[in-house]
């Protein structure tokens, strides 16, 4: 309905503006071409708007939970950290442990 309304608006606008300068037949034919052009443009605009809204609706929120898969232990760790965030003391302990492991590996 929007496409049709927009196209009719374009048809009448072009017809009224060109009627004084051209013959009625020529103005009607060119207005029909304007009708088709307005219809195509409105269809493309509606398609782009619908696509943009569909993409926006399918975007995941900033905080989403990772699905855990049995074959990937990293996902289990991530899921556990999301469910139970670590305290500052725990983070410092892990940091020291990783530093210790890195020094042993060198």
């Amino acid at each position: 309905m929007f496409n049709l309304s927009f196209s009719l608006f374009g048809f009448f606008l072009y017809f009224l503006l060109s009627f004084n300068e051209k013959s009625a037949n020529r103005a009607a034919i060119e207005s029909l071409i304007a009708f088709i052009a307005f219809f195509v443009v409105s269809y493309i605009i509606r398609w782009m708007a619908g696509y943009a809204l569909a993409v926006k609706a399918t975007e995941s929120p900033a905080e989403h939970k990772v699905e855990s898969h049995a074959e990937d232990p990293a996902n289990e760790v991530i899921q556990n950290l999301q469910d139970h965030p670590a305290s500052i003391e725990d983070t410092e302990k892990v940091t020291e442990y990783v530093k210790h492991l890195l020094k042993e590996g060198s």
Side-chain angles (χ1 to χ4, degrees), residues 52-65:
L53 292 174
V55 167
K56 187 176 181 181
T58 59
E59 286 180 353
S60 60
E63 295 181 26
H64 66 282
K65 295 198 175 205

Side-chain angles (χ1 to χ4, degrees), residues 1-11 37-39 41-42 45:
M1 194 60 163
F2 174 78
N3 295 354
L4 184 63
S5 301
F6 190 69
S7 301
L8 285 174
F9 169 75
F11 176 85
F38 272 79
F39 188 86
V41 167
S42 65
I45 290 171

Side-chain angles (χ1 to χ4, degrees), residues 13-88:
L13 180 69
Y14 190 87
F15 186 77
L16 293 175
L17 292 176
S18 65
F19 185 72
N20 291 337
E21 299 175 11
K22 301 175 184 174
S23 67
N25 288 340
R26 183 160 177 92
I29 291 171
E30 289 179 1
S31 296
L32 183 61
I33 293 170
F35 175 86
I36 293 169
F38 272 79
F39 188 86
V40 170
V41 167
S42 65
Y43 183 81
I44 290 171
I45 290 171
R46 283 189 58 228
W47 177 80
M48 288 173 32
Y51 182 75
L53 292 174
V55 167
K56 187 176 181 181
T58 59
E59 286 180 353
S60 60
E63 295 181 26
H64 66 282
K65 295 198 175 205
V66 177
E67 296 177 17
S68 67
H69 299 284
E71 65 273 356
D72 192 4
N75 283 339
E76 244 178 81
V77 171
I78 292 170
Q79 182 68 39
N80 191 18
L81 285 173
Q82 286 177 342
D83 291 340
H84 310 286
S87 66
I88 294 175

